[in-house]
Amino acid sequence: MENIRPFGWKDKIGYGLGDFGCNMSFAFINSYMMLFFVTCLGIEPEHYAIIIIIAKVWDAINDPIIGAMCDATRPRGKSKFKPWIQWGCIPLLISSILMFIYIPNAPYAVKIALCLVTYLIWSVAYTSVNVPYGSMQSVITRDELQRTELSNARSIGALLAQLPVMVILPLIIYDKDNQPKGNLFILIVAVMGIIGVIAFQLMCRMTTERVVPTVNKAQKFNYFKTLGSYFTNKPIMILTISTVSYLALIMTVTASMQYIFMYYFKNSSLISVATV
């Protein structure tokens, strides 16, 4: 233990790269998934909305399960959380690419299946990476100030990933008629996904876990008991409602921005200016 490197900039930069890697996938899908499936593949907006509702219900089910599995995992070597990230980023990359397969002439049912199945798989893969990544903060350091610095680094990493998505890609992804180039999405998401995988691997190399996590073998996860206690916890419910309201606003603005500039302003390049 005495040979462990002291907490420093290497940890902060490395931890920031983790959220950079997450948003290489999340920011692109959050901003362009609807544009791809509704405009490029021709899925009806109401059908797309139903798919998203199903996916969010699926998120509510699988997120706490994966979180409990991650929490119950015994450390492998010197790390409890890094193996999840190192292996989980591969299905995250693959599912991101599969989601944007351009099949404009495929039967409508195939397009619906592509949207629903790949998004559900992507959701599980993303949770398998994002949940252990968030938990890593508690094992890198015990110091509250240093944990705050890690949170700041995480925010910076997310911002650095989101800016190219919202500033640079609108200049590339639309043609001269302000219509999205459907065949270009898969190439962009593949490049961004590979960059994300590299960021995750660098994060695992640069960060050091200094706190040995405890695994309570007697404690077993009861999904329904946890769900019941959640709905009877008023502070958590209030926090959830405020967070959901905020995310609904942000995600609505993000998804609708593409269409506002495509059809109202008739100049998709202005998305970059608006974002800045």
Side-chain angles (χ1 to χ4, degrees):
M1 296 294 292
E2 62 273 7
N3 295 325
I4 294 180
R5 174 177 55 81
F7 179 86
W9 280 102
K10 192 173 182 180
D11 293 285
K12 289 184 277 189
I13 295 173
Y15 196 69
L17 283 171
D19 222 329
F20 178 85
C22 286
N23 277 279
M24 278 288 108
S25 177
F26 179 80
F28 183 83
I29 287 173
N30 188 39
S31 300
Y32 293 102
M33 180 182 172
M34 179 178 176
L35 184 70
F36 178 76
F37 281 103
V38 174
T39 303
C40 298
L41 293 191
I43 289 180
E44 295 295 333
E46 55 268 29
H47 296 161
Y48 178 80
I50 293 172
I51 290 172
I52 295 301
I53 292 172
I54 294 172
K56 294 309 174 185
V57 172
W58 170 248
D59 281 344
I61 296 172
N62 84 78
D63 283 12
I65 293 175
I66 292 177
M69 291 171 58
C70 179
D71 188 55
T73 301
R74 288 187 169 276
R76 295 182 182 179
K78 297 181 179 179
S79 176
K80 176 178 179 176
F81 301 111
K82 289 180 182 178
W84 280 84
I85 300 169
Q86 288 174 316
W87 292 104
C89 65
I90 303 302
L92 179 61
L93 168 64
I94 295 172
S95 59
S96 299
I97 294 173
L98 293 177
M99 189 183 298
F100 290 96
I101 295 176
Y102 185 54
I103 47 172
N105 299 320
Y108 193 75
V110 173
K111 297 176 183 179
I112 292 290
L114 175 69
C115 184
L116 177 60
V117 174
T118 56
Y119 190 68
L120 294 181
I121 295 173
W122 175 87
S123 178
V124 174
Y126 181 77
T127 302
S128 300
V129 171
N130 190 254
V131 168
Y133 166 69
S135 301
M136 272 188 63
Q137 190 181 49
S138 63
V139 297
I140 292 177
T141 177
R142 295 183 188 273
D143 187 278
E144 292 299 327
L145 179 59
Q146 292 175 350
R147 288 183 179 181
T148 301
E149 292 174 341
L150 289 176
S151 294
N152 293 337
R154 178 176 186 171
S155 298
I156 293 171
L159 177 64
L160 291 177
Q162 291 167 8
L163 279 177
V165 172
M166 296 303 297
V167 176
I168 298 176
L169 291 190
L171 303 176
I172 300 173
I173 213 162
Y174 293 96
D175 60 23
K176 58 182 176 60
D177 298 319
N178 294 309
Q179 294 300 308
K181 306 173 187 175
N183 59 340
L184 200 58
F185 281 75
I186 192 169
L187 176 61
I188 292 173
V189 78
V191 171
M192 293 183 65
I194 292 171
I195 293 173
V197 169
I198 294 172
F200 285 130
Q201 301 306 322
L202 287 174
M203 184 274 295
C204 291
R205 288 178 176 271
M206 295 177 70
T207 55
T208 301
E209 296 183 20
R210 298 171 180 83
V211 181
V212 180
T214 57
V215 180
N216 189 351
K217 292 191 294 183
Q219 182 180 3
K220 293 186 177 181
F221 176 70
N222 187 315
Y223 182 85
F224 296 102
K225 184 178 180 180
T226 302
L227 195 63
S229 63
Y230 166 78
F231 283 109
T232 56
N233 189 321
K234 290 183 180 179
I236 290 296
M237 288 298 296
I238 293 171
L239 180 62
T240 299
I241 292 170
S242 63
T243 303
V244 168
S245 301
Y246 167 75
L247 290 175
L249 172 64
I250 294 300
M251 294 181 73
T252 300
V253 171
T254 302
S256 62
M257 184 180 289
Q258 315 292 336
Y259 291 97
I260 290 171
F261 286 94
M262 281 172 58
Y263 296 112
Y264 184 80
F265 294 111
K266 300 187 184 302
N267 190 343
S268 55
S269 63
L270 288 179
I271 297 174
S272 302
V273 179
T275 302
V276 174

